[in-house]
Amino acid sequence: MFRLLIAAGVTVDKWTRMWAERVPGTDLVPVPAAPDATLDDGAANRADAGLLRLPVDRDVFHAVPLYTEATVVVVPRDHFVAAGDEVTLADLADEPLLRPLDDVLTWPSAVTGERPATTADAVPLVAAHAGLLVVPQSLARLHHRRDLTYRTVTDAPTSSVGLVWRQDGYSDLVEELIGIVRGRTANSTRGRAKPAPQPAPRGQTGRRRR
């Protein structure tokens, strides 16, 4: 079975139907959101490819960038940030920031904050008014609570998602996935191996008789 890792929050709905039709039996394996999720979970469980957060080590992996997410701040519904549609980091300068250990955003070293173990652990702290959480929009949706909301942060770091596979793990099915995420049709032959030439029937040659 072809195993495809899916990082937490990554949107796959637009491709799922095509995978089911063109790569039947794909095993979608959820993994943590952090960018250190790899394709090396032991030899027996090794995945073939992944939709993971970028960047990845380009000495080990190939990657096709797919999209970059909006970054949002998660706040209690009664927080002043909720009064507008978007904010800047300057608007949040006086607010305590939660930076979970599985944070997928790359912050300048000067940015500090409390370090809960995971993004999921940080969400109840936001609800308790212990700090604000800045994450890609998909993670805010994944950890949605009725007492919380989020707003776009226009100048915060962003997170990108890509189709990733090991440099030594290329296969025809990986190429099929590349075609799907790049919008190739099922009839496209780009990147596929050409079929081997068939031998001529016995008694025939490639030379025309005179």
Side-chain angles (χ1 to χ4, degrees), residues 97-116:
L97 182 65
L98 301 172
R99 290 196 55 205
L101 297 178
D102 65 353
D103 191 357
V104 300
L105 302 176
T106 302
W107 293 94
S109 58
V111 177
T112 61
E114 185 177 344
R115 306 301 305 268

Side-chain angles (χ1 to χ4, degrees), residues 9 23-24 28 53 68 87 93 104 106 110 123 126 133 147 162 180 188-189 205 208:
V23 190
L28 305 182
R53 305 269 175 190
T68 298
V87 295
V104 300
T106 302
V123 171
V126 176
L133 178 64
D147 53 349
I180 289 173
S188 173
T189 59
T205 67
R208 181 181 299 174

Side-chain angles (χ1 to χ4, degrees), residues 71-108:
T71 301
V72 302
V73 58
V74 181
V75 299
R77 286 192 173 276
D78 59 356
H79 195 277
F80 76 88
V81 165
D85 294 328
E86 57 185 33
V87 295
T88 67
L89 290 176
D91 297 325
L92 307 177
D94 295 330
E95 299 292 315
L97 182 65
L98 301 172
R99 290 196 55 205
L101 297 178
D102 65 353
D103 191 357
V104 300
L105 302 176
T106 302
W107 293 94

